[in-house]
Amino acid sequence: MPPSPFSLSVESRGSVVVVRVGGDLDYLTRGQLLDAVTVVLTRRHAARHPVADVRLEFSRLESVDSSGLSVLLQIRRLVDEAGVALHLDERPAVLERLLDMTGTLELLTCRPENISAPQDISAPEDATGPARRPAI
């Protein structure tokens, strides 16, 4: 089966930028999405209305692989550094499943200050020596 054609469009609505992603988000197309978001963020300082929100809209997304997930994580870091909110809108089942299986749903959909830190699972020190992590 041939890959679905990739489509990407960017629309500004005041301080909100909507990036619509369609087709296959994979190794071959990830750079296009990263480039589009990077341009949005670098132009935000020069814009008359600075960008406050980047909304990635996935209603036409057909497939996503680990490279697609990787670029979403890169975008998360970029928007955090720029102080911009990231939203993943109209996520199809294929994306929702990938985010759920990899445990990245909360990371990609919450503001950084709302992400809970991992809890320390080490055992407390006792008379036998230093704390040890339980075997997993």
Side-chain angles (χ1 to χ4, degrees), residues 3-135:
S4 300
F6 182 72
S7 64
L8 188 68
S9 67
V10 179
E11 176 185 341
S12 293
R13 300 180 192 158
S15 65
V16 177
V17 175
V18 179
V19 180
R20 289 186 175 78
V21 182
D24 299 335
L25 181 55
D26 57 21
Y27 177 77
L28 296 174
T29 59
R30 66 183 297 285
Q32 293 174 59
L33 178 56
L34 183 60
D35 290 346
V37 173
T38 300
V39 166
V40 164
L41 294 175
T42 54
R43 288 187 180 165
R44 87 181 254 278
H45 294 294
R48 191 170 201 188
H49 302 285
V51 175
D53 295 272
V54 172
R55 304 193 81 87
L56 302 180
E57 192 267 288
F58 294 104
S59 65
R60 292 193 167 104
L61 184 72
E62 294 185 20
S63 71
V64 58
D65 68 5
S66 60
S67 294
L69 176 61
S70 175
V71 77
L72 293 177
L73 293 168
Q74 283 181 281
I75 290 169
R76 167 93 263 172
R77 283 191 297 274
L78 290 174
V79 298
D80 288 350
E81 289 170 5
V84 173
L86 177 66
H87 307 273
L88 305 182
D89 298 334
E90 299 186 46
R91 298 185 301 265
V94 65
L95 178 57
E96 198 72 29
R97 190 169 39 255
L98 179 64
L99 298 178
D100 186 51
M101 285 184 349
T102 58
T104 55
L105 180 63
E106 181 182 7
L107 175 67
L108 289 167
T109 58
C110 291
R111 295 287 297 191
E113 61 272 9
N114 295 332
I115 298 172
S116 56
Q119 295 184 359
D120 184 11
I121 58 170
S122 61
E125 285 193 39
D126 61 15
T128 62
R132 291 183 220 149
R133 295 207 175 261

